[in-house]
Amino acid sequence: MDLQLVVHPEALLREKSDKITDIDGDIVRLADAMIEKMHAARGIGLAGVQIGRLQRLFVTHVEGDRPRVFINPSIIETSVELSEYDEGCLSIPAIYADVTRPQAVRVQAWNERGRPFNMDADGLLARVIQHELDHLNGVLFIDYLSEDARNGVMASYDPAVDPALVSRR
Ligand code: NI
């Protein structure tokens, strides 16, 4: 499966993804291909819409964790504590900005075997889960910035940059 990244400002990124009604072989193969694509692009999360599929799934792989698949995810609880992190996105290559989000979340989803699960995540995994879930609702991390901050970071934006070739600042 040859997946192409959808990059900002493509309108698809602003669409809301549809619920997956059947976790079948096609979804399992798609999730595998998304994990492969995420690794190839040196990302730590990737949502369906980012490879052109308006389906509610995303994959994550943060350091120290294993690759994870979240199908039809919802965040059912967030911590009061917030944290700030210099966030990026494979669909907005080479752009980073500080975004404040809850430090921890409890998420409910289905895995690639069609099993429902609950999990508590904090730190970087919690952040990635929130970022990827936003993608399923057409939200990008730059939406959290003030207009001035957004204009500032986006001034150097070049959608043709290959994210795998950019070193993080
Ligand atoms: Ni992203």
Side-chain angles (χ1 to χ4, degrees):
M1 214 182 286
D2 186 28
L3 304 181
Q4 297 297 316
L5 280 176
V6 176
V7 295
H8 177 73
E10 286 187 46
L12 193 75
L13 290 171
R14 295 309 190 170
E15 300 279 318
K16 195 175 156 126
S17 294
D18 297 319
K19 203 166 176 185
I20 292 169
T21 52
D22 191 12
I23 301 172
D24 57 13
D26 286 346
I27 291 294
V28 173
R29 278 186 290 278
L30 177 62
D32 281 347
M34 285 172 62
I35 289 169
E36 207 172 290
K37 183 73 183 175
M38 170 178 65
H39 287 154
R42 297 165 64 185
I44 55 177
L46 186 67
V49 61
Q50 293 184 274
I51 45 88
R53 304 290 195 95
L54 284 174
Q55 292 176 294
R56 297 189 79 80
L57 86 160
F58 63 76
V59 297
T60 67
H61 192 181
V62 304
E63 207 181 328
D65 193 26
R66 60 175 173 81
R68 294 181 185 273
V69 178
F70 298 79
I71 296 169
N72 296 334
S74 50
I75 289 173
I76 53 179
E77 210 174 317
T78 57
S79 63
V80 176
E81 299 78 26
L82 303 174
S83 71
E84 195 179 65
Y85 185 80
D86 197 30
E87 212 165 293
C89 179
L90 291 177
S91 291
I92 316 177
I95 299 296
Y96 296 93
D98 284 336
V99 178
T100 301
R101 297 183 187 268
Q103 160 74 20
V105 296
R106 176 167 293 161
V107 61
Q108 197 270 317
W110 281 259
N111 67 19
E112 66 280 16
R113 291 182 299 281
R115 295 265 177 82
F117 67 93
N118 275 280
M119 81 174 270
D120 291 323
D122 72 359
L124 189 54
L125 182 57
R127 175 160 300 266
V128 176
I129 287 168
Q130 293 173 79
H131 175 117
E132 299 309 328
L133 203 130
D134 275 350
H135 273 302
L136 306 186
N137 295 319
V139 174
L140 299 174
F141 81 93
I142 53 173
D143 300 350
Y144 292 95
L145 309 178
S146 69
E147 198 181 337
D148 279 355
R150 185 165 51 244
N151 291 341
V153 294
M154 293 304 282
S156 63
Y157 180 54
D158 175 2
V161 166
D162 181 345
L165 299 179
V166 178
S167 63
R168 192 186 165 84
R169 67 161 164 80

